[in-house]
Amino acid sequence: MATSTPNLECRMYEARYPEVDQAVMIQVKDIADMGAYVSLLEYNNIEGMILFSELSRRRIRSVSSLIRVGRQEPVMVLRVDKEKGYIDLSKRRVSEEDIQACEERYNKSKLVHSIMRHVAETMQMDLEDLYIHVGWPLYRKYGHAFEAFKLIVTDPDSILDSLTREVKEIGPDGQELTKTIPALSEDVKDALVKNIRRRMTPQPLKISADVEMKCFQFDGVLHIKEAMRKAEAAGNADCPVKIKLVAPPLYVLTTQTLNKEQGISVLNAAIKACTEAIESKKGKLGVKEAPRAVSEHEDKRHLEQFTKLALDNEEVDGDDEDEEDTGMGEIDVENANVGITE
């Protein structure tokens, strides 16, 4: 199984090509006259193409605003010609649900691939050989090798000792025999378990909620500041709460936790504490988006929307320097001396 010059290039999954109507993670390599050439990151960087007509459902004003060289993102598989190696892809047909599912799968697969590649390199093995005897059997049995790796952290023997491989041997009578042996030697198994335990640390989830908070009383900005403090005080060591101004009157509450239900519960408690505090000063708080776990893609899109809101708000604020203070200026809850940005 070991070679002097191991091949460390291999696809992540047993299938050599993706299925039609499957969302896959790609990286843009080149923009041509008719579309963009991309690499399918989960399939050992085989080439695919996105025609310009498959970039957006709307009229394209600027290709560069929709797709850029180097960008990684999920797209939908339209056609696969296995004989010619052609793969046609679409960006406009991939839904938000497809994007989220693809990102979650890819992040898991990327971690598995990184561990497998490191073990293969360290033990001087072909990466595909390691996938054939360990990775892909675990994908088949557990749905994703990532799920098996999580179990290996605490119980490696029950997972890995069940994997076997067949080898050919010549018996005493000179006849060829098929013998079943463990899929991994003890040294390779030890290296794999050590790498999994080092890399498979729990990843915290980001929980987020959006609220609108207003207070038109005198010193309203101070009342909002105090309400923000009450919200953050509702957090704990496992789920610390942060609340930040996006653009008056919009605020976002966030926490990071290993337990999704606990994180949502803590943010709900923070919203309740904040509501009680601001209403006691005749202010008002409304929930725009209830607490929910957000993916990397959603968080990025959220930030872009909030940035636009903040910029739009700055333009409006600049129209009238004598505008009455409503107590909802830019608040930094961590700096008690800063209340309103002029």
Side-chain angles (χ1 to χ4, degrees):
M1 191 156 58
T3 62
S4 57
T5 55
N7 178 18
L8 300 177
E9 300 301 323
C10 183
R11 61 194 182 278
M12 297 180 181
Y13 314 127
E14 193 166 9
R16 294 186 178 274
Y17 296 94
E19 297 293 327
V20 173
D21 293 332
Q22 175 185 340
V24 295
M25 187 66 71
I26 58 91
Q27 183 171 35
V28 182
K29 292 299 182 184
D30 187 34
I31 307 295
D33 292 336
M34 296 184 63
Y37 289 98
V38 304
S39 296
L40 279 68
L41 300 179
E42 298 160 283
Y43 294 87
N44 201 23
N45 295 316
I46 57 176
E47 188 177 79
M49 187 173 191
I50 306 174
L51 295 175
F52 288 149
S53 60
E54 292 296 333
L55 286 180
S56 174
R57 296 181 183 276
R58 301 177 181 179
R59 182 177 179 181
I60 300 175
R61 297 178 179 272
S62 172
V63 172
S64 62
S65 66
L66 295 174
I67 196 162
R68 296 178 183 174
V69 173
R71 178 184 292 175
Q72 295 183 7
E73 59 184 309
V75 297
M76 185 66 70
V77 178
L78 297 183
R79 285 173 291 275
V80 178
D81 188 330
K82 296 180 181 180
E83 293 183 359
K84 297 181 179 179
Y86 294 159
I87 302 176
D88 293 331
L89 305 160
S90 172
K91 179 177 177 178
R92 71 184 183 93
R93 304 192 195 199
V94 63
S95 67
E96 287 296 325
E97 292 77 10
D98 292 328
I99 289 173
Q100 182 174 350
C102 181
E103 287 180 338
E104 291 177 357
R105 184 195 69 231
Y106 175 66
N107 288 332
K108 292 179 180 179
S109 303
K110 185 169 62 171
L111 178 57
V112 169
H113 194 72
S114 175
I115 292 171
M116 296 281 282
R117 194 179 191 279
H118 183 74
V119 172
E121 184 176 18
T122 303
M123 303 307 294
Q124 288 292 291
M125 304 169 58
D126 279 355
L127 179 56
E128 186 170 357
D129 195 44
L130 189 60
Y131 263 111
I132 289 171
H133 296 105
V134 179
W136 294 334
L138 293 179
Y139 268 99
R140 291 195 297 269
K141 186 174 181 179
Y142 294 91
H144 199 295
F146 180 86
E147 303 304 323
F149 278 18
K150 287 197 299 185
L151 299 175
I152 289 172
V153 171
T154 56
D155 188 14
D157 292 342
S158 65
I159 309 300
L160 297 176
D161 290 353
S162 65
L163 302 177
T164 59
R165 59 185 302 182
E166 294 184 347
V167 295
K168 303 292 185 180
E169 290 186 354
I170 302 299
D173 58 357
Q175 298 295 316
E176 185 177 72
L177 301 173
T178 299
K179 184 179 179 180
T180 300
I181 64 172
L184 294 171
S185 63
E186 284 301 319
D187 58 341
V188 174
K189 176 184 172 182
D190 183 61
L192 181 60
V193 172
K194 285 182 178 178
N195 273 272
I196 290 174
R197 285 176 171 167
R198 185 172 68 247
R199 299 287 302 279
M200 295 288 288
T201 54
Q203 298 298 313
L205 290 170
K206 184 171 184 178
I207 312 296
S208 178
D210 303 336
V211 301
E212 281 190 353
M213 183 161 47
K214 304 176 182 179
C215 184
F216 295 98
Q217 299 298 309
F218 182 74
D219 285 343
V221 67
L222 299 179
H223 299 325
I224 289 179
K225 187 191 297 290
E226 181 59 28
M228 293 172 72
R229 290 197 184 96
K230 294 290 185 182
E232 294 193 340
N236 54 53
D238 294 329
C239 295
V241 173
K242 294 292 182 183
I243 178 169
K244 293 185 179 180
L245 171 70
V246 177
L250 187 59
Y251 298 78
V252 58
L253 294 92
T254 59
T255 187
Q256 286 193 325
T257 175
L258 298 176
N259 187 312
K260 178 181 176 181
E261 288 71 24
Q262 182 186 23
I264 291 175
S265 177
V266 167
L267 276 198
N268 279 324
I271 292 173
K272 182 180 179 181
C274 193
T275 301
E276 292 175 351
I278 199 65
E279 287 183 350
S280 70
K281 302 299 182 182
K282 299 183 180 181
K284 184 178 180 181
L285 186 146
V287 178
K288 303 294 291 182
E289 287 282 350
R292 76 278 184 203
V294 292
S295 68
E296 182 179 343
H297 174 79
E298 289 173 323
D299 196 33
K300 181 179 179 182
R301 188 181 60 181
H302 214 203
L303 181 61
E304 290 174 349
Q305 291 174 340
F306 285 175
T307 301
K308 183 178 183 301
L309 279 172
L311 291 173
D312 291 344
N313 182 69
E314 287 180 4
E315 293 176 359
V316 172
D317 286 347
D319 291 341
D320 187 0
E321 294 181 358
D322 298 325
E323 183 178 356
E324 180 182 357
D325 175 18
T326 62
M328 294 179 294
E330 294 188 10
I331 302 172
D332 181 357
V333 74
E334 297 176 356
N335 189 341
N337 293 323
V338 179
I340 302 177
T341 299
E342 296 181 357

